[in-house]
Amino acid sequence: MDNVTLTINDIKVTVEKGATILDAAKKVGVRIPTLCHHEDLCVAGNCRVCVVEQKGARALQASCAVPAAEGMQIYTNTKKVREARKTIIELLLSEHAGECTSCYRSGNCELQAIAQEYLADGDAFIDVADMTEIDISSPAIVKDDSKCIKCTRCVRTCAELQGVSALWAINKGNHTKISTFMSKPMHYVVCTNCGQCINRCPTGALTERNYIQDVWSAIDDPEVHVVVQTAPAVRVGLGEALGMEPGRVVTGKMAAALRKLGFDSVLDTDFSADLTIMEEGTELLVRLKEALAEKKNVALPMMTSCSPGWIKFIEHQYPELLDNLSTCKSPQQMFGALAKTYYAKKKGVDPSKMISVSIMPCTAKKFEAARPEMNSSGFQDVDYVLTTRELGHMIRQAGIDFENLQDEKFDTIMGESTGAAVIFGATGGVMEAALRTAYEIVTGREVPFANLNIEPVRGMDGIKSAAVKIEKVKPEWSFLEGAELKVAIAHGLVNADKLMKEIEAGKSPYHFIEIMACPGGCIGGGGQPIPTSPEIRKKRAEAIYVADSELPIRKSHENPEIQMIYKDFLHEPLGHHSHELLHTHYTPRRNVK
Amino acid sequence: MSNTDKNEILNKMQERVNLIFKNSDCSAILDKALTMKQDDIIKSVTDSGLRGRGGAGFPTGLKWKGAAAASGNIKYIICNADEGEPGTFKDRRILEEEADKVITGMAICAYAVGVSEGYIYLRGEYNFMKDKLQGECDKWNDKFKSKKLNFTVNVRSGAGAYVCGEETALIESMEGRRGEPRNKPPFPVGAGYMNEPTVVNNVETLAYVATIIDKGADYFKSIGTKDSMGGKVFSVSGDCAVKGIYELPLGMTMQEFVDLFGDGDTKAVQVGGASGTCVPRKNFATTVIGFEGVPTGGSMMLFNSKRSMFNALRNYLEFFEEESCGQCTPCRVGCQQLLKGIEAIRSGERPVSYIEELRKLAVTMSVASKCGLGQSVASPFNSITEHFREEICY
C-alpha cells in the first residue's frame, strides 16, 4: 500500500493512500467536527461542517471527502475555517426547528452539540424549517421533517446497510427533502421499521414512536399487573444510555431498576429465547427428517424468524420464500403469548388486568407487537414495546442512581435463562444456541467445539457460514448419520438479500440460515443507545459472549424453567399448545419503493 | 457613434474572428487531424491557449493531457450541451448550425486522447433538436467507420436541472441518478462516466478545437489577449441597441462592448449569466472581458437605468434557490437565506445592516460549497450589493 505524507496544523503525518484528510487529522489527535460523516456509511461530503483550509487552495476542503495527498498543508483552525463552520452551522439551525427543550434527542443531538461548541446563533438567519406534518403513521418510527438537516445518513443507511431504500432525497433546491416513495406515509412503504436510520440520524428528525407515558400510566394504575420482559441485547446496551462506557453487562442493575420503576413482574425474554431454540431446533430437525428420510418437498433452507425487521423485509421483497421461514414467533411474542396464559395462571393474575411490556433493542418490535395476528392469548400479547433508549429515559426520570444499584435477579417461572439465550443478542447467536441444542438432541453429545463456543458463527463478517458433520447419531435420527449440516448467518439486510438471491437462483447450499436485520445483530439494533459504530458494536458483542461464558447453564434444553413449562403446560415442542401460542404465519406484502 | 459606424465596427470585429459560424469542410479537418500525431494534437490545443468556453475556463489542452495519461477500460468524451445559464443561448445556435464542427471536435479529442465513445448531453429544453442532432451523429458515425476511427457519438437528453451543467452532476444524470455534483477529486479525467476517464467539454470549446486544427494554434492565439486567447461567442441580451449572438475576440473592455451594444443608457452589465459578475457603469472603462478581468460563458445582459437591480438580484436568487441541487448546506440553505434576507431588509423585518451578514454568508458559500453552483452565487450577490447597495437597502 502506498503512503502519503502531509501536515495537519504543521504536524507531519503519514497515512495510507486513499485515507481522507479527516482520517489523517484523527491520526494526530486533531478533532474535526462532522455531521453527515458516519463510520458505517459511504462518504457524502454534504454538510460541509468539516471544512478545512488547504494552503494554496482558494476554496475550503471538506475533510471527510477529500483524500489526503502528498505534501498537502492542512489547517483546521484558522479564522476562515472557524467562520465558515459557524455560518454553516447557523444555516443548518435555520432549517432545523430547534425545540431543544422538548426534543427527544436533546442532550444526544449532534447538531445541538456542535452548535454549542461554536456558540452558533439559532436566529442568525431566517427560519426556513420544513413544517410538513410529523409522520406518525408507523407504530415504530416517527419522521419529523422540521428537524431534518438533509445529511442523508438515513438515506445511506437504508440503501447501503439494509438494501431497502425506503428513504431517499427528493426534489431539489429549497424543496429538497428526505422522503418516501411518492411521499407516502411511513407505514405504507417498504420500510422494515429496523430503526437503523434513527441510530444514525444526528438530530431528532427520525426517532422511535415512544410509549413512555403509556407505560407510566400502566404502572401508575393499581388495578393493573404490569409484566416486563427484557431482550438479551438490552443488558449490554442500557449502560450506555445511562452514561456508562460501551461493553458493560448490566443485567442485575437492570432487573433492580425495573423493580424500582414499579413493574410488578420483572422477567426475561431470554427465557423465551431458550424456548425458541426448543421449538425452532425441533422444527429444523422435523424439516430435515421430512426432506431426507421421507423425501417430502419441504422448504429448505429454513430461516430464523426472530427479527421483525427481517420478517417485514422478506414479506415485501421475497414473499415467495415465506415458506422457508421458521413458523416460530420471535422470543418477544412467545413471551407475550405465555405471559397472559401460562404465567397469569401460575401466578393467579387476571390476564385481562395484565399489561405486558417489553424492553427491546429494536424498533421493529413495536410493529411486530401491533401485528393483528399477535393475540393468541386472547388479548394483545404484548401491549407496549420500549426501546433500550426509552427505558434509559424512564430510569433517568425516576432519579435512579443506576450505576450504583445492587444487582438483583429476575422473577421466577419465566425469568431463568441460559448462555444460549443471551447470545441471541449478537449475530450468529441464534445459530450457535440452536446448534448446541440440536446437535445434542441428535447425537446425545455436546457440540464438538471447545467450551461450547462455536467460533465460526461469531464475528462481524456480513455473511458467515459453517458446516457441522453429524456422526454417531442416536437411532431415531439415523437418517442424519454422516450428514453435514450447512448453515449461514447474515446480518444487515443488504447481506440477507444476497442469501435470498442465492436461494432464488437455486444455488443455496444451506440447511439453516440465521438472519438479523441489524448490523451486528440485536446488539446493533435500531432501539439501542446512540451513537453506534463498528467499535461500539464489537464491544457490546464481546460483552454478550462474556455474559454467556459466565452463566452456569449454557444450553437451552437444560434451562429448568423450560423443562418445567414443557412438563406442566406445553408438553412437547411443536405440540398442540405450542402450535397455538408459539407459532405464527406471514403476510406477503406489496413491494412499493 | 452613429448606428452605421457601430455596425461597421461590429462587422469588422466579427470578420476578425469568424471561426465558429464560417463554412468549413469538417471532414477534411478530421482527415488532417488523423494524419497528425496524437501528442501533436494535444500540444496544438494546448498551445492555442484554448480554455473551456462553458464559463470555468479550464485549459482544454491540460484536460486532454490528463485524460490521455489516465488509464481505464474505456474512455469517454461528453459534449456539455446543457446550456442552462440564464442569458446564454449561443450553444443552441452552434448546435443548430455547426453541429459538424462540434462532432469533429469530439472526434479529434477521441483520436488524440484515445476515447472510443462520445455523448452529446443535450439540455431537456433543447429536445426539439434532438432527432436532427442524432441524425448528424449517425451520419458522422458512418464516416468514422469509413475513416477507420474507433469512435461513435450519440445524443443523451438531460431532464432540465441547471446543476447538470456541472460536469460531475451531468455524469451522475447520465448514469441515471439524481443530478448531484460529486466530491472532487477524483476528477472526471481520471474517473468520470461509469468511473472511467472522461473528458467533458462545452459545445463551443469543441467547435473551436476543430477550427484550431484547421487554422493552426498560432492563428487562434493571434486573436484575443495573452490570458484570453481566441474568440468567444457572446449571447447579448437586455437593454441593447443590437442583441443576439456574436463571435468576438476576448479582451475587449466593457466600455468598448457597451459602446457597440448598449442603448446609450447602460448602467450595468451582468457578465456570465446569473452566476456571473455585475459590472457597473463606473467600471466599464477598466474592466476587461476575459479571464484576466470578468470571465464569461458568453452571457452579456445589459441593464439600463430604468431597471431595478433589486429585481434583477431577486430574480437570480429565486433561480438559485430552486436550482441548487439541495445537497450541500451552504448552497441549499444559503441561497434561500440570501433571497429571504434581501426581502426581509426591504420589508423592514431585518435591519439594513443585515446586508453585511448576507455578504459574509455569500463569501462562505463561495469557499465552502461543494460545486461551482453554490460557489458562484457570491459573484452576482456581492457585486450587485456592492455597486447598487442603495437599490437593495433603503
Side-chain angles (χ1 to χ4, degrees):
Chain A
M1 196 77 190
D2 293 346
N3 288 333
V4 293
T5 300
L6 65 161
T7 63
I8 306 281
N9 301 341
D10 297 324
I11 310 166
K12 209 168 183 182
V13 56
T14 301
V15 292
E16 278 187 2
K17 200 172 177 185
T20 61
I21 297 172
L22 183 68
D23 296 328
K26 239 177 232 167
K27 205 170 167 188
V28 290
V30 173
R31 191 176 60 87
I32 296 173
T34 56
L35 277 176
C36 71
H37 174 81
H38 195 285
E39 276 182 74
D40 288 327
L41 305 173
C42 77
V43 167
N46 287 345
C47 76
R48 316 302 285 181
V49 301
C50 72
V51 287
V52 295
E53 196 166 345
Q54 181 188 350
K55 196 173 175 188
R58 180 193 67 85
L60 299 172
Q61 308 288 328
S63 58
C64 74
V66 176
E70 190 63 38
M72 255 183 179
Q73 288 173 271
I74 299 294
Y75 295 92
T76 68
N77 184 30
T78 62
K79 180 168 184 281
K80 191 173 168 185
V81 166
R82 279 192 308 272
E83 285 180 356
R85 283 185 191 160
K86 183 165 184 244
T87 301
I88 291 164
I89 296 162
E90 287 172 343
L91 288 174
L92 288 170
L93 292 174
S94 79
E95 66 171 357
H96 173 82
E99 298 172 355
C100 280
T101 52
S102 61
C103 181
Y104 187 55
R105 284 291 299 276
S106 197
N108 182 228
C109 168
E110 292 177 47
L111 181 62
Q112 187 185 49
I114 196 176
Q116 206 283 327
E117 198 169 283
Y118 280 80
L119 301 178
D121 179 359
D123 295 322
F125 295 111
I126 294 162
D127 180 9
V128 292
D130 175 354
M131 298 310 282
T132 305
E133 207 173 330
I134 299 173
D135 183 351
I136 53 164
S137 65
S138 156
I141 297 177
V142 176
K143 180 168 171 285
D144 181 352
D145 295 335
S146 75
K147 290 175 182 160
C148 174
I149 57 168
K150 286 93 177 172
C151 67
T152 71
R153 278 194 196 171
C154 56
V155 170
R156 286 174 283 147
T157 300
C158 203
E160 291 167 25
L161 302 181
Q162 302 299 64
V164 171
S165 291
L167 294 172
W168 206 261
I170 64 160
N171 303 333
K172 63 179 166 46
N174 52 338
H175 298 296
T176 305
K177 65 189 291 173
I178 306 303
S179 191
T180 54
F181 177 76
M182 299 289 283
S183 296
K184 296 283 184 201
M186 289 289 279
H187 80 287
Y188 181 88
V189 298
V190 293
C191 170
T192 66
N193 303 302
C194 75
Q196 288 300 308
C197 54
I198 298 174
N199 284 6
R200 289 169 185 78
C201 180
T203 71
L206 288 160
T207 53
E208 67 267 42
R209 179 89 173 267
N210 99 54
Y211 296 90
I212 293 174
Q213 205 45 52
D214 304 79
V215 172
W216 278 129
S217 299
I219 290 173
D220 290 343
D221 186 344
E223 300 290 305
V224 165
H225 185 97
V226 190
V227 174
V228 66
Q229 56 167 318
T230 59
V234 175
R235 65 208 65 195
V236 295
L238 182 62
E240 290 166 50
L242 294 157
M244 295 157 76
E245 72 280 15
R248 284 277 296 271
V249 186
V250 295
T251 319
K253 293 184 196 304
M254 176 176 70
L258 289 167
R259 247 177 228 117
K260 278 194 190 297
L261 289 176
F263 288 102
D264 297 298
S265 297
V266 178
L267 303 170
D268 198 353
T269 316
D270 286 20
F271 163 82
S272 48
D274 279 332
L275 192 59
T276 300
I277 289 303
M278 298 305 292
E279 295 288 326
E280 199 164 286
T282 310
E283 184 185 358
L284 174 66
L285 292 172
V286 168
R287 284 201 198 198
L288 289 174
K289 187 175 180 191
E290 287 175 349
L292 300 175
E294 299 163 17
K295 306 288 177 204
K296 283 188 190 163
N297 190 14
V298 185
L300 281 173
M302 190 175 94
M303 302 185 293
T304 60
S305 55
C306 310
S307 166
W310 150 239
I311 297 301
K312 187 141 183 282
F313 176 84
I314 187 174
E315 286 177 337
H316 279 295
Q317 312 289 353
Y318 295 94
E320 67 282 2
L321 296 182
L322 289 176
D323 285 344
N324 292 61
L325 279 177
S326 161
T327 60
C328 286
K329 285 181 184 173
S330 72
Q332 164 178 280
Q333 293 306 135
M334 285 195 182
F335 188 102
L338 292 173
K340 292 188 183 181
T341 54
Y342 170 70
Y343 186 80
K345 202 171 157 198
K346 282 249 176 191
K347 292 280 177 175
V349 177
D350 176 359
S352 71
K353 296 231 166 82
M354 184 186 265
I355 290 285
S356 172
V357 176
S358 65
I359 315 294
M360 293 286 143
C362 183
T363 48
K365 290 282 174 196
K366 292 173 189 271
F367 172 83
E368 182 185 54
R371 289 177 75 115
E373 66 271 23
M374 294 298 177
N375 59 0
S376 39
S377 64
F379 308 93
Q380 182 170 335
D381 293 335
V382 175
D383 295 287
Y384 300 112
V385 179
L386 302 182
T387 59
T388 309
R389 295 188 291 265
E390 287 169 272
L391 176 61
H393 242 87
M394 289 182 74
I395 292 172
R396 282 203 301 276
Q397 286 176 344
I400 295 168
D401 179 6
F402 188 77
E403 208 163 348
N404 294 314
L405 283 177
Q406 291 297 311
D407 285 358
E408 290 182 18
K409 287 201 170 314
F410 290 106
D411 293 327
T412 54
I413 305 184
M414 286 171 62
E416 184 69 65
S417 68
T418 70
V422 173
I423 58 174
F424 262 59
T427 168
V430 176
M431 182 61 69
E432 182 165 348
L435 290 177
R436 284 181 193 172
T437 289
Y439 189 90
E440 203 162 318
I441 290 175
V442 172
T443 66
R445 302 184 308 276
E446 286 193 341
V447 281
F449 292 90
N451 301 322
L452 298 173
N453 296 340
I454 308 179
E455 294 292 345
V457 303
R458 297 185 179 185
M460 290 297 169
D461 291 343
I463 296 176
K464 294 166 280 188
S465 61
V468 183
K469 188 93 173 164
I470 301 175
E471 286 167 316
K472 294 184 218 152
V473 298
K474 290 184 182 171
E476 61 268 39
W477 301 102
S478 59
F479 64 93
L480 283 174
E481 181 61 44
E484 197 174 42
L485 185 68
K486 290 185 176 149
V487 302
I489 297 106
H491 57 119
L493 291 169
V494 79
N495 295 317
D497 193 67
K498 290 176 194 158
L499 292 181
M500 292 312 106
K501 288 213 164 71
E502 215 173 62
I503 297 174
E504 266 197 330
K507 288 179 180 160
S508 180
Y510 305 113
H511 301 107
F512 190 30
I513 293 178
E514 176 207 296
I515 294 194
M516 294 294 158
C518 295
C522 306
I523 49 118
Q528 290 284 64
I530 301 169
T532 183
S533 70
E535 185 59 31
I536 290 173
R537 294 194 292 276
K538 196 168 150 247
K539 284 186 178 156
R540 291 178 190 160
E542 282 165 5
I544 281 265
Y545 289 114
V546 168
D548 166 35
S549 67
E550 285 173 350
L551 281 170
I553 310 172
R554 297 179 59 214
K555 291 176 283 190
S556 297
H557 55 279
E558 291 178 356
N559 180 338
E561 288 188 351
I562 291 293
Q563 290 166 348
M564 183 167 82
I565 196 173
Y566 277 113
K567 185 168 148 277
D568 294 356
F569 185 68
L570 295 169
H571 308 305
E572 57 173 346
L574 305 187
H576 175 66
H577 257 61
S578 292
H579 185 73
E580 278 188 341
L581 294 173
L582 308 183
H583 290 260
T584 188
H585 58 271
Y586 305 102
T587 312
R589 294 173 197 270
R590 66 192 177 281
N591 188 350
V592 186
K593 268 193 194 178
Chain B
M1 221 189 305
S2 76
N3 277 346
T4 342
D5 293 343
K6 271 191 197 175
N7 279 336
E8 199 175 314
I9 297 171
L10 199 51
N11 287 340
K12 265 191 191 159
M13 289 182 81
Q14 290 199 83
E15 197 51 45
R16 168 85 183 87
V17 189
N18 197 16
L19 289 168
I20 296 279
F21 298 108
K22 191 183 174 186
N23 278 339
S24 314
D25 181 351
C26 286
S27 199
I29 296 174
L30 181 57
D31 287 340
K32 182 181 174 188
L34 295 178
T35 62
M36 294 167 72
K37 279 195 192 144
Q38 276 99 332
D39 288 352
D40 290 344
I41 292 177
I42 295 176
K43 186 167 182 299
S44 192
V45 173
T46 308
D47 289 347
S48 75
L50 177 63
R51 293 170 69 166
R53 289 299 193 252
F58 191 83
T60 307
L62 196 60
K63 194 179 262 189
W64 286 21
K65 201 176 161 190
S71 56
N73 301 311
I74 179 174
K75 292 179 189 178
Y76 298 99
I77 175 155
I78 298 169
C79 168
N80 185 347
D82 192 59
E83 184 176 42
E85 188 63 46
T88 311
F89 39 86
K90 44 99 187 169
D91 288 344
R92 168 178 169 162
R93 185 173 151 203
I94 297 173
L95 283 170
E96 283 192 297
E97 296 179 10
E98 301 293 340
D100 276 350
K101 279 203 188 75
V102 178
I103 296 170
T104 303
M106 293 175 77
I108 292 167
C109 173
Y111 171 67
V113 172
V115 160
S116 55
E117 276 183 34
Y119 296 97
I120 300 174
Y121 184 89
L122 188 67
R123 81 179 285 213
E125 290 83 346
Y126 290 174
N127 257 338
F128 66 87
M129 66 164 98
K130 189 182 172 191
D131 290 347
K132 187 173 162 234
L133 198 55
Q134 183 61 49
E136 293 286 329
C137 291
D138 295 342
K139 188 188 84 190
W140 276 94
N141 286 338
D142 290 340
K143 279 194 198 176
F144 299 149
K145 216 179 265 174
S146 68
K147 292 179 197 293
K148 303 220 175 342
L149 177 66
N150 175 26
F151 181 59
T152 55
V153 58
N154 287 289
V155 180
R156 287 286 185 90
S157 202
Y162 169 72
V163 74
C164 289
E166 197 279 346
E167 57 183 7
T168 59
L170 184 158
I171 289 169
E172 286 283 299
S173 157
M174 271 185 60
E175 290 181 4
R177 287 194 286 275
R178 279 172 66 81
E180 290 180 343
R182 294 177 177 173
N183 290 303
K184 289 166 288 233
F187 292 93
V189 287
Y193 180 55
M194 304 309 244
N195 223 19
E196 301 289 350
T198 304
V199 173
V200 184
N201 283 146
N202 171 260
V203 171
E204 184 186 332
T205 312
L206 288 163
Y208 270 127
V209 165
T211 70
I212 289 164
I213 296 302
D214 186 21
K215 300 211 162 207
D218 288 340
Y219 179 81
F220 191 78
K221 263 163 80 171
S222 71
I223 309 165
T225 65
K226 182 169 69 66
D227 294 318
S228 307
M229 292 171 186
K232 174 85 194 82
V233 184
F234 289 91
S235 312
V236 185
S237 66
D239 302 315
C240 318
V242 281
K243 55 183 84 175
I245 294 163
Y246 297 89
E247 188 181 16
L248 302 167
L250 282 169
M252 308 167 71
T253 68
M254 190 59 78
Q255 192 63 57
E256 290 172 297
F257 184 87
V258 169
D259 288 345
L260 286 174
F261 292 97
D263 64 357
D265 185 24
T266 308
K267 77 166 174 186
V269 181
Q270 178 71 20
V271 186
S275 69
T277 305
C278 183
V279 180
R281 185 185 285 146
K282 66 172 188 270
N283 293 350
F284 285 172
T286 53
T287 302
V288 175
I289 303 168
F291 297 108
E292 61 271 62
V294 282
T296 173
S299 166
M300 303 295 277
M301 279 187 269
L302 284 73
F303 294 90
N304 70 18
S305 59
K306 292 196 202 79
R307 303 290 170 185
S308 153
M309 295 314 287
F310 177 87
N311 287 348
L313 180 59
R314 180 170 60 188
N315 178 279
Y316 295 157
L317 292 172
E318 280 169 351
F319 175 78
F320 287 126
E321 178 192 59
E322 190 175 316
E323 290 299 342
S324 161
C325 82
Q327 191 185 182
C328 80
T329 312
C331 180
R332 178 186 67 247
V333 194
C335 290
Q336 296 177 61
Q337 292 299 347
L338 294 180
L339 174 62
K340 289 207 160 41
I342 60 165
E343 286 173 340
I345 293 171
R346 167 145 295 197
S347 68
E349 287 163 57
R350 292 262 167 163
V352 168
S353 60
Y354 189 54
I355 195 71
E356 296 311 325
E357 301 303 318
L358 296 177
R359 287 169 57 82
K360 268 192 230 158
L361 166 60
V363 171
T364 297
M365 289 167 69
S366 75
V367 295
S369 293
K370 190 170 191 170
C371 81
L373 197 167
Q375 290 179 8
S376 65
V377 177
S379 304
F381 191 86
N382 282 354
S383 55
I384 293 174
T385 55
E386 179 187 347
H387 299 303
F388 298 95
R389 190 184 158 107
E390 70 287 355
E391 292 192 39
I392 311 299
C393 315
Y394 56 87

